[in-house]
Amino acid sequence: MATLGWVILALAVAGLAYIRFGPTDTDRWHRPIEAQSNQDVPGGAVRIVQVGPDSLPRVDQEMRALPRTKVIAGSVEEGRITYETRSLIFGFPDYTTVEQAGNTLKMYARLRFGTSDMGVNRNRLERVLRALQL
């Protein structure tokens, strides 16, 4: 019975290590945002707002200021940036893609593992939009 306990513990540790240190496939996450309207989807959210031409650099600055957040692909010059934000305790990754074409800013935040993010991605988008008064 003790051996089974050790096996279960080892599997749990391996799973958490993969979540924390597993590779990120940027081709999977850094894609154009297809949505045409605001949506709350399982494990994520999309927000689309009309903005001025200089909004992407401001959003980029705000996203980079979020805790445990880094750019994994793209740039302001490209017009699309994808960020990875990790949860505090277990390091679960969420991905947020932001793109601007003309005066339309699209933001798509979603989880990588699981089926529910308990509204974390929606809240992140709304926090950034509020901070920038967009």
Side-chain angles (χ1 to χ4, degrees):
M1 190 62 146
T3 303
L4 179 61
W6 284 111
V7 169
I8 291 171
L9 179 62
L11 290 173
V13 168
L16 290 173
Y18 181 76
I19 288 168
R20 172 71 73 172
F21 302 112
T24 298
D25 179 1
T26 55
D27 289 339
R28 177 178 177 194
W29 301 104
H30 187 64
R31 295 177 162 255
I33 300 170
E34 301 295 331
Q36 298 301 316
S37 62
N38 291 339
Q39 303 173 32
D40 291 335
V41 297
V46 175
R47 294 295 179 262
I48 301 173
V49 294
Q50 296 303 307
V51 296
D54 64 339
S55 295
L56 188 57
R58 293 174 50 217
V59 171
D60 180 48
Q61 183 178 12
E62 192 67 28
M63 286 295 300
R64 288 172 187 258
L66 294 173
R68 299 170 309 282
T69 300
K70 67 179 183 178
V71 172
I72 62 164
S75 66
V76 170
E77 295 74 30
E78 179 185 318
R80 180 181 313 115
I81 310 166
T82 299
Y83 308 86
E84 177 185 77
T85 303
R86 291 196 172 261
S87 65
L88 179 61
I89 307 266
F90 293 110
F92 284 100
D94 290 333
Y95 296 100
T96 303
T97 300
V98 180
E99 64 185 26
Q100 183 171 359
N103 290 334
T104 301
L105 179 75
K106 292 183 176 184
M107 303 174 75
Y108 179 28
R110 64 271 193 210
L111 55 73
R112 176 175 177 181
F113 298 106
T115 57
S116 174
D117 69 341
M118 297 181 286
V120 169
N121 285 299
R122 179 191 67 237
N123 292 341
R124 182 180 310 108
L125 295 183
E126 292 175 359
R127 174 182 172 186
V128 169
L129 291 172
R130 270 193 315 273
L132 296 171
Q133 298 179 359
L134 296 177

